[in-house]
Amino acid sequence: MATSNRVLLAYALFALSLGFSWFILAPLVPFLITRYHESLSHVLLLISLYGYAMILLSIPAGYWVARRGPQPVLMTAYGLTVVGLFLRVVAPSFQVFLVGQMVAALAYPLLIAPIGSVLRLTGVTRSQWGTGLVIGALFFGMALGALSGSRVPPATGLLLSFAVAVLFGGWLVRAVRPFRAEHRTLGKVRLVVSPWWVIGFVVASVSVMFGSVSTVALIHLHVAGAEALGGNLTALTFLGSATGAMVFGWVAERGERPLRLQRVLGVLTVAFLTLSGLLLVGRLSPTAFGLEGVFFGFGIFSNGWYVLSLESAALAAGSETGAGLATAGYSMASNLGVAILPVVLGPLVVTAPTTWLTILIIMALMAVVVPFIANPPSSLSRRTAFR
């Protein structure tokens, strides 16, 4: 196996393990409340920490890769993951568990934010497919964690997440050893703010908001089995997101007009977002089959669009080393939306459903305009100190 392919596969598998260890906590919330005698808000903070870490460290991670190459950043991500997940396994108190989760969460921006440079500086030439594979693997891990957390004993689940991360992360560390950074600067590395960030902001925040309000909205509509159905919708959205990222990353690699595909995916995302919203506010009859199909479709098209716009943000940087900083900024914008909008707009799904749906549609329309007005992305220059 070529070195670049080995790195890509190991990178994707470690991203899968990160998503798995992150969202295996979602079904364990009642167990953690009982075990540590903590409030719901404190336990939910454990899950939110990953988003906060991305907001704080995505830009530094991008600069780090631009200056030193991918190896030290990815090795640090592995070390933080191992330490953090080990503390979760052995934690005798909630405070220790929280510290472990904080440490593990710091690996998230280091691993994912600078993906634009990590792929290019390790020789991955099919960057759209590579981006789709890594992001898709992350979401597949999230879905796997959400589904398996309620099906295995909690202690087993936490230990399994640690073991999988050690295995896949160890492989990634070995795979990136040939890409040692040279101890020299690259001159000025600038952050390119592009309109593609709008797509990341909207898609990420709406996806998380749907997951966080679906159960509450279905209970408000007196849908039978609302709790179980809400959990299934979250898992299906993640599975759809994983499928869309991988499939459309692969399709885009073989097409000659990536903007045309983005436009199609943008329009389909708006359509499925609108259908999802209409079902959650009761404007359409919320049947289980209809909800599951629409949420799965939203995940497929929205995350396919997300991945391609992430790649467009990388191309807007103009160089391989700047690409990681551009994708880091995109990730920061996405997680700002995740941190703010579900909290601010989420309650409106019950208190003011028409207003909630109207705001969501306006946001989606603002995002779908971007691929229609943006310039076609061009190939990056190969200016780098790491070859």
Side-chain angles (χ1 to χ4, degrees), residues 118-387:
V118 170
L119 294 178
R120 290 165 174 84
L121 294 176
T122 53
V124 177
T125 56
R126 296 186 297 170
S127 55
Q128 293 179 107
W129 160 234
T131 302
L133 180 64
V134 174
I135 300 299
L138 172 71
F139 275 90
F140 184 75
M142 292 162 69
L144 194 61
L147 290 171
S148 61
S150 59
R151 291 169 170 80
V152 298
T156 302
L158 294 174
L159 183 59
L160 180 62
S161 66
F162 170 73
V164 170
V166 169
L167 176 64
F168 291 152
W171 185 22
L172 178 61
V173 167
R174 290 192 297 273
V176 298
R177 279 178 181 169
F179 301 94
R180 296 186 181 276
E182 296 183 15
H183 293 281
R184 59 175 178 170
T185 62
L186 303 175
K188 184 178 181 180
V189 179
R190 63 191 181 93
L191 174 64
V192 178
V193 179
S194 69
W196 303 107
W197 293 17
V198 176
I199 297 172
F201 181 90
V202 172
V203 169
S205 58
V206 172
S207 297
V208 172
M209 189 181 336
F210 278 167
S212 61
V213 306
S214 57
T215 299
V216 174
L218 295 176
I219 291 174
H220 181 70
L221 295 173
H222 306 290
V223 175
E227 292 85 353
L229 180 57
N232 288 341
L233 294 179
T234 300
L236 283 169
T237 302
F238 287 156
L239 286 174
S241 297
T243 304
M246 294 180 183
V247 169
F248 289 112
W250 179 82
V251 170
E253 204 65 61
R254 282 150 178 76
E256 298 181 355
R257 297 184 177 181
L259 274 184
R260 177 176 293 181
L261 180 57
Q262 284 207 51
R263 290 164 184 165
V264 172
L265 291 176
V267 171
L268 288 171
T269 297
V270 173
F272 275 83
L273 178 150
T274 303
L275 286 173
S276 300
L278 289 170
L279 287 165
L280 288 179
V281 300
R283 298 294 186 270
L284 296 176
S285 180
T287 63
F289 179 77
L291 281 164
E292 291 172 349
V294 169
F295 269 64
F296 185 70
F298 174 74
I300 289 177
F301 298 122
S302 65
N303 214 42
W305 188 25
Y306 181 96
V307 164
L308 298 189
S309 63
L310 175 64
E311 174 65 12
S312 294
L315 292 172
S319 69
E320 292 184 338
T321 49
L325 190 56
T327 55
Y330 184 101
S331 298
M332 180 190 68
S334 301
N335 282 274
L336 277 172
V338 168
I340 297 172
L341 291 188
V343 177
V344 175
L345 298 181
L348 297 180
V349 72
V350 173
T351 60
T354 301
T355 302
W356 177 79
L357 183 58
T358 301
I359 293 173
L360 258 61
I361 294 174
I362 291 174
M363 289 172 53
L365 292 175
M366 291 173 58
V368 82
V369 168
V370 173
F372 286 92
I373 64 174
N375 295 322
S378 57
S379 300
L380 298 180
S381 68
R382 296 189 177 276
R383 176 172 55 84
T384 169
F386 307 110
R387 290 188 182 278

Side-chain angles (χ1 to χ4, degrees), residues 42-66:
H42 286 171
V43 173
L44 290 178
L45 175 63
L46 298 171
I47 301 174
S48 303
L49 285 172
Y50 280 74
Y52 299 147
M54 181 67 84
I55 294 171
L56 293 174
L57 293 183
S58 57
I59 299 299
Y63 272 111
W64 193 3
V65 171

